[in-house]
Amino acid sequence: MPPSLSRRWPVRQLIAASSFILLVACAEKPTAADAQPLQAAPVAPAPAIVPPVMPSANPLDIQPTQTFEEWQAGFRKEALAAGIRPELFDRAFADISFDASVIRADRSQPEFSRPVWEYLDGALSPLRVRKGQTLIGQYADILQSIEQRYGVDRQALVSVWGMESNFGQFQGSKSVINSLATLAYEGRRPGFAHAQLIAALQILQQGDITPEKMLGSWAGAMGQTQFIPTTYNTHAVDFDGDGRRDIWGSPADALASTAHYLQSSGWQRGQPWGFEVQMPTSFNYTLADGAIRKTVAEWRQLGVIMPNGGEVPAGTGQLSAALLLPAGHRGPAFLILDNFRAILKYNNSSSYALAVSLLSERFSGGGLINGSWPKDDLPLSRTERMELQTLLSARNYDAGTADGIIGANTRKAIRSAQQSFGWPADGYPTHKLLESLRSQ
Ligand code: CA
C-alpha cells in the first residue's frame, strides 16, 4: 500500500479520494518494492493511507523541546492510559532509541521527480509480471476464497502485493515501534505518528506479532501489504485461521487484508479500473480534473474515443468516470472508474493507482498503452515548480504558497495561464510554460 511518507503505509484512510494527484507524485512516494534491485529508485513512503503533509510550517525547523527519554516517559503514561499494559510497553520499548535516519527520510524533499513513464517501466517490469502470473496460479485456491469473501478481483490483489512489497520480498527491516517513536518525538507529523504508535502497541498487546518481528518501513508501514498500524487494526484479517493476523509471514492473511481494505474502499468486483482513451483534436482540457466526473456515455458525447476506434468496455456506459492525463494532454489519457478510486485510497498517487491497474491487466497479457509519453518533457524539478508558482502568482494567477507542490490551486492557476496563451488548459506544469512566464 501506499504513500506519502516514505515508504508505504497501506491504507491511509485520511486521504480524500477526490484529491488525487495528477502529476508525478508517484515518483515521490515509492513503495517498498520500488526500493529494491528491480529498479533503481529512490523510495518513498508508504501507501496505505497516509495523510497529506501540511506544507505550512517548515519541517526542517522542527526542534524538540525535550529529550527522547523525557518524551518516552511522557508517552508511556499516555499509552498506559490508553490501555497498554506496563509490562507490554516496557518490553516493546526495551531497545528503542532515536533513529536519525528516520528523521532524514521524513524530511527529505527530493529535487527531481521520476517521470511517470519511468516509474511505470519499473513497476511493470517483465520480471514482476512473470512472478505475479506464477503466484496467481500458486495461490489460486486462496485467491478464489478471498474473492468470494470480499468481492475483490484476484489480479488486483496480486498486483497490489507486487507493488507494495514485491510479493512479500521487501517489507522493510526497521523496527516499527522504533521508527514511530522517533517520528512521534521529532517528525513532521507527530500527532499522526503518535496515533500510529498507540495502534502498534495495541497490535502487540493483541498478540498478532512480537516486537522483534514487527518490522516495516521507516514510516511505519508493515508487512507484505505495507499497512500502517491504524489500518491494520481496522482491516487486517486472519484468513488462514491460525489465530493471528500475520501480514508479515502469511500471504493468505496479507492478501485477504488487502481485499478487506479495497472492499471498504468501494471495490466493484468484475468492473474494470478504467481504460485508455483518446481525445478529439479540439477538446476542453479543463475537464481533465479528478473532481470532475461524468458518465462514460457523456464523455463519449464530448468526443472521447477508444484508441482503436472501438466501443468502450461492456457495461461501463453509465459508470461515473474522471479523465486522467498523467503527463498532460500530450501523453496517454484514461477514463478512471470506481476501482481506480479504491486503489487511490490505498495510496493516494495516480501514478501508483495506474501502475496497480495496468499490472493487474499485464498478468493476462493486457495493460499495454497505445498513447506515447512526452519523453522530451521531463517533470519540473522542485525548484522549478516553486519558481512556476511564484511567477503564476506574480501574474495574478493565484498559485497559493510556493511550496513546489502542484495542488488544486496551482493547477487552476496553470490552466488560467495556459488559456491566456491559447494553449490546451490541462493544468500540467511544463518547461514551456515556465519559460513563457519567465519571458513575459
Ligand atoms: Ca493468520
Side-chain angles (χ1 to χ4, degrees):
M1 307 214 153
S4 304
L5 283 186
S6 168
R7 251 192 196 206
R8 310 181 134 297
W9 318 29
V11 189
R12 335 84 187 250
Q13 16 205 172
L14 306 180
I15 295 187
S18 63
S19 65
F20 66 76
I21 299 162
L22 292 172
L23 297 186
V24 281
C26 60
E28 286 158 28
K29 339 176 157 177
T31 64
D34 283 339
Q36 310 314 324
L38 256 189
Q39 30 206 341
V43 174
I49 307 187
V50 176
V53 173
M54 294 298 117
S56 47
N58 183 347
L60 304 181
D61 289 344
I62 298 171
Q63 290 297 334
T65 56
Q66 55 188 348
T67 67
F68 185 76
E69 291 68 28
E70 289 168 344
W71 168 84
Q72 183 174 321
F75 176 72
R76 186 178 186 279
K77 290 177 188 163
E78 295 177 46
L80 268 48
I84 300 300
R85 294 189 302 271
E87 60 275 19
L88 183 282
F89 184 96
D90 294 336
R91 190 178 157 222
F93 273 78
D95 298 312
I96 297 306
S97 60
F98 179 78
D99 183 348
S101 71
V102 169
I103 296 301
R104 281 195 297 275
D106 185 44
R107 298 186 184 180
S108 73
Q109 297 182 308
E111 176 65 8
F112 298 102
S113 300
R114 195 158 40 143
V116 62
W117 50 91
E118 287 184 12
Y119 171 78
L120 290 174
D121 281 348
L124 308 176
S125 72
L127 187 61
R128 183 173 287 169
V129 172
R130 284 198 299 275
K131 187 162 185 188
Q133 289 169 328
T134 299
L135 292 168
I136 285 174
Q138 188 177 333
Y139 288 93
D141 292 345
I142 289 171
L143 288 165
Q144 182 169 355
S145 300
I146 293 173
E147 274 183 355
Q148 288 170 347
R149 175 90 61 94
Y150 299 103
V152 178
D153 303 270
R154 66 188 69 189
Q155 293 83 0
L157 297 175
V158 173
S159 185
V160 168
W161 191 18
M163 287 293 295
E164 291 302 324
S165 66
N166 207 29
F167 312 106
Q169 193 176 357
F170 304 115
Q171 303 183 24
S173 57
K174 282 186 175 295
S175 155
V176 167
I177 298 292
N178 204 93
S179 296
L180 291 174
T182 298
L183 292 169
Y185 169 63
E186 200 183 330
R188 285 182 297 171
R189 297 175 297 172
F192 175 76
H194 185 280
Q196 295 304 323
L197 188 50
I198 293 284
L201 290 167
Q202 289 167 341
I203 293 166
L204 293 174
Q205 186 151 295
Q206 288 153 11
D208 286 302
I209 191 83
T210 62
E212 297 72 30
K213 291 182 177 175
M214 189 184 233
L215 304 178
S217 73
W218 68 259
M222 315 181 296
Q224 306 201 18
T225 47
Q226 295 287 285
F227 273 23
I228 52 174
T230 50
T231 299
Y232 179 101
N233 276 340
T234 51
H235 289 88
V237 296
D238 170 27
F239 201 76
D240 63 15
D242 72 346
R244 298 188 307 120
R245 299 177 293 171
D246 183 8
I247 61 172
W248 296 266
S250 165
D253 287 5
L255 290 164
S257 298
T258 295
H260 187 208
Y261 188 72
L262 289 174
Q263 178 193 43
S264 300
S265 301
W267 190 269
Q268 303 293 315
R269 186 178 184 181
Q271 256 185 30
W273 58 270
F275 45 89
E276 187 179 359
V277 294
Q278 287 180 352
M279 326 308 298
T281 45
S282 177
F283 184 78
N284 176 10
Y285 281 99
T286 61
L287 298 175
D289 185 307
I292 297 177
R293 296 191 198 170
K294 299 175 181 297
T295 65
V296 170
E298 287 169 337
W299 287 112
R300 292 280 275 168
Q301 287 171 355
L302 289 167
V304 172
I305 60 172
M306 298 295 286
N308 298 313
E311 286 303 309
V312 297
T316 60
Q318 295 310 308
L319 299 180
S320 173
L323 181 60
L324 174 69
L325 304 174
H329 73 282
R330 294 178 60 216
F334 306 90
L335 284 182
I336 53 174
L337 306 172
D338 282 346
N339 288 348
F340 192 94
R341 289 188 273 272
I343 298 167
L344 285 173
K345 290 183 184 174
Y346 210 88
N347 182 347
N348 193 30
S349 153
S350 59
S351 299
Y352 171 85
L354 188 58
V356 167
S357 299
L358 294 172
L359 181 59
S360 71
E361 294 185 329
R362 293 271 172 107
F363 295 146
S364 48
L368 299 177
I369 296 175
N370 285 274
S372 55
W373 298 103
K375 297 188 178 179
D376 57 341
D377 200 2
L378 295 175
L380 298 186
S381 68
R382 181 167 179 272
T383 300
E384 288 167 336
R385 294 194 300 271
M386 293 168 70
E387 182 188 357
L388 176 68
Q389 289 171 316
T390 300
L391 290 171
L392 285 166
S393 294
R395 282 152 184 72
N396 290 321
Y397 305 123
D398 182 10
T401 307
D403 53 10
I405 298 170
I406 308 295
N409 286 338
T410 303
R411 278 200 298 275
K412 188 178 174 192
I414 291 172
R415 290 185 204 276
S416 297
Q418 288 171 326
Q419 285 170 326
S420 76
F421 290 123
W423 299 349
D426 59 11
Y428 184 73
T430 61
H431 290 278
K432 181 184 171 190
L433 176 63
L434 179 60
E435 287 157 13
S436 297
L437 289 170
R438 280 173 179 162
S439 61
Q440 232 185 12

